[in-house]
Structures are given as structure tokens and as C-alpha cells.
Amino acid sequence: MTQQSLDQDLSLDGRVAVVTGSGSGLGAAEAVNLARSGAAGVVINDIRSSDATDAVIADIEAAGAKAALVVGDVSERETADAMVAEAEKLGGLHVVVNNAGITRDKMLFNLSDEDFDAVIKVHLRGHFLLTRNAAAYWRGESKKSDAPVYGRLINTSSEAGLFGPPGQANYGAAKAGITALTLSASRVLSRIGCTANAIAPRGRTGMTENVFEAWDESKGPDPLSPDRVADLVSYLASPSAAEVTGQLFVVYGGMVALVEAPVVEKRFDAEDGVWDRRAFADAVAGHWADRPKDKSFSAAEIMKL
């Protein structure tokens, strides 16, 4: 898709984007798609420079955008600082896509301190640092102009943060935290005209190579291609999504599901305003008597999408 073929409300003409973890996989697809959607510049990031990052830069430039690479760990403050600085050199900061992540999958009783900390650090702290820096940048720009500014934050959560997989306590906790972080950001950023949303993508990448079976291309387009996720990201980054904020989307293939907030299943009220332990136990037991045994706060229904 060329910039000229895009409707104005979908074009990122003149905008500059930052995409973390974009040396390959989902991040690379997102970065290139943003360039093809008309972005003037795209800052990519990876833990190291490689032939893969060179290829992403080449694809961005082939789409007509300027490109810059920031090598560094997203969980380190200086990396977030450098990404914002590079975006400013390209013309400002308008779109942030937090994508970088790692996995250290083990059952809870085998999960080491180090494996828990590493996943929380890269995912949750990594998201926080750039989210905070972008919010500060946009607030500063809004103060300068005394007007709303263009800002789009797209964070990468996961269905794991909604249903609690037994072998990913660290990953699920980090992703649930990212969703909460995004909601907080959406409330703050809405005051200055910016949006913040989270996506829970399914995609065939290096991180998921042991999860999904290989695709037979004779069957047609791969439903788990990262390009499907990148299309949604480019939409959320566009002017068309100005009213979409504080939302969580599950996306893969030709399906995008808007996830509704949790609802209250049952409210227990004490008759005299203070619960007696016995009375409360009896009230809960009465409700549990006809309740499905496997029902919990886990949003397991989402895995049926």
C-alpha cells in the first residue's frame, strides 16, 4: 500500500513512530507497515544490530520513510531516552508501539527468581519507561502550544494476562500489568488529545515457533502472519482512531475482538452493614452451590476465539 493510496484519515503522513523489539517478528512487521502507511520516519529498536535490523531499515526506506536504529535493552532508561531523541531528530514523536518482549516459561513451582525478574523487567518495565517518556514528551508539546497534540500509544499485552496460563506466571503477570498501565495512560493522555490502547496479538514469530504449527502456504494467506497484527497497529496509530482509547483488542488473521471489561458476578451485602463471618460463609456457600466448578476470574472464553 502506498501513501498516495491511503485515505487521509488513515494516512500517517508527516508522523514519526517508534517501535520496540522491531528487528524481527511482529515488531518488524509493525514498523514497516507504519512506513507504508505514510509515516515520515520510523525508529526501530533491538537488543543488537544485525542483518535482520538492516533488512527492516531497508524496507522502511523503500516505503519512503526515514529510519533510525536504537540498539539497547528496553528495560534500561537510557534506551527509552535514546528512542525519543532519535524520533525528535526525524521530526518529532507521534506514535509509540511497545512490542519488545521475552519468555522464560516454566511451571510456577519451578520458576526461578531470575526468570521471573527478567520477564517482568523487559515487558512491564520496558513498557513503562517508553510510555512514561512519550507521555512526558506529549505533555510538554501540549504545554508549548496550549492545545491538544497528536499522540498514539499502542502497547502489547496478551491473552495470557487475562486467563493465567500455568506455565507462564511471569509472562501473564507482566501482560496483565501492561493492560493496567495502558488504562492509566489512556486516562492521563486523553486530557491532551492522545490515545492509548493495548493489543493481544497471536502471530507466527521466533518467540512462538514452538507454539504454532508450520503453515501450508498452498492453503492461502497465513492467518498467523505478523502482517495481520501490523494492520491493526497502523489503524490505531492513524487519525481515524482518534476516539479509540483505553481499549484491549485480541487480533490474529482476519479477526479482531474488542475485549469488554470484567463485570460483577455477584454482590454480597450484609444486612446490618457489617458481615459476620458465619453469615458471609453461608451466603457464599449458597451462591457456590449452583456455580460451575471451573468458573473463575480467568477469561478462559477468550481462548475459544
Side-chain angles (χ1 to χ4, degrees):
M1 180 178 291
T2 64
Q3 181 175 340
Q4 290 73 23
S5 70
L6 287 164
D7 293 334
Q8 192 61 34
D9 67 335
L10 292 174
S11 174
L12 295 176
D13 184 26
R15 310 299 183 187
V16 177
V18 172
V19 184
T20 69
S22 43
S24 62
L26 285 177
E30 291 162 349
V32 173
N33 197 304
L34 290 168
R36 291 172 179 168
S37 296
V42 181
V43 179
I44 69 168
N45 151 261
D46 211 338
I47 197 68
R48 63 184 62 84
S49 177
S50 65
D51 290 343
T53 55
D54 290 344
V56 176
I57 288 174
D59 286 342
I60 290 170
E61 292 176 341
K66 295 179 180 178
L69 168 65
V70 172
V71 175
D73 182 343
V74 294
S75 68
E76 299 296 335
R77 169 66 187 269
E78 54 264 32
T79 304
D81 292 345
M83 286 188 282
V84 174
E86 286 298 318
E88 288 187 276
K89 292 177 185 177
L90 295 180
L93 177 63
H94 308 97
V95 177
V96 167
V97 183
N98 277 306
N99 165 77
I102 62 172
T103 55
R104 298 288 187 272
D105 296 351
K106 290 181 182 176
M107 297 297 284
L108 180 60
F109 34 74
N110 290 325
L111 188 61
S112 69
D113 296 7
E114 292 76 15
D115 285 341
F116 181 84
D117 291 344
V119 169
I120 296 295
K121 186 177 180 183
V122 172
H123 284 277
L124 187 52
R125 177 175 166 81
H127 270 67
F128 158 70
L129 288 172
L130 188 53
T131 293
R132 188 269 316 281
N133 282 17
Y137 174 87
W138 290 328
R139 181 170 179 261
E141 292 298 296
S142 180
K143 281 189 171 183
K144 288 178 187 177
S145 62
D146 194 27
V149 296
Y150 194 102
R152 300 286 187 270
L153 172 68
I154 300 110
N155 285 338
T156 306
S157 184
S158 170
E159 293 157 278
L162 299 172
F163 72 89
Q168 290 185 310
N170 48 0
Y171 184 77
K175 291 304 191 181
I178 286 169
T179 300
L181 173 67
T182 307
L183 292 175
S184 293
S186 73
R187 296 181 186 279
V188 172
L189 293 174
S190 64
R191 302 171 186 174
I192 55 174
C194 303
T195 68
N197 293 285
I199 61 171
R202 299 181 198 173
R204 196 183 309 283
T205 67
M207 186 182 292
T208 61
E209 61 184 354
N210 295 322
V211 177
F212 302 121
E213 294 182 359
W215 178 253
D216 181 354
E217 294 185 0
S218 67
K219 296 180 179 179
D222 183 356
L224 291 173
S225 167
D227 292 336
R228 307 290 80 77
V229 178
D231 286 338
L232 174 62
V233 167
S234 290
Y235 162 72
L236 292 174
S238 74
S240 183
E243 302 302 319
V244 181
T245 192
Q247 307 301 322
L248 172 63
F249 297 89
V250 176
V251 52
Y252 73 96
M255 192 270 322
V256 176
L258 176 61
V259 180
E260 190 174 11
V263 298
V264 176
E265 176 187 335
K266 172 70 175 178
R267 176 172 164 170
F268 300 94
D269 289 303
E271 291 185 4
D272 59 359
V274 179
W275 273 110
D276 168 81
R277 190 183 304 175
R278 176 72 270 159
F280 180 71
D282 291 344
V284 171
H287 178 66
W288 243 252
D290 299 319
R291 193 173 187 269
K293 293 185 180 300
D294 59 350
K295 186 175 182 180
S296 74
F297 188 72
S298 172
E301 286 293 315
I302 287 180
M303 295 310 298
K304 298 178 181 179
L305 287 171

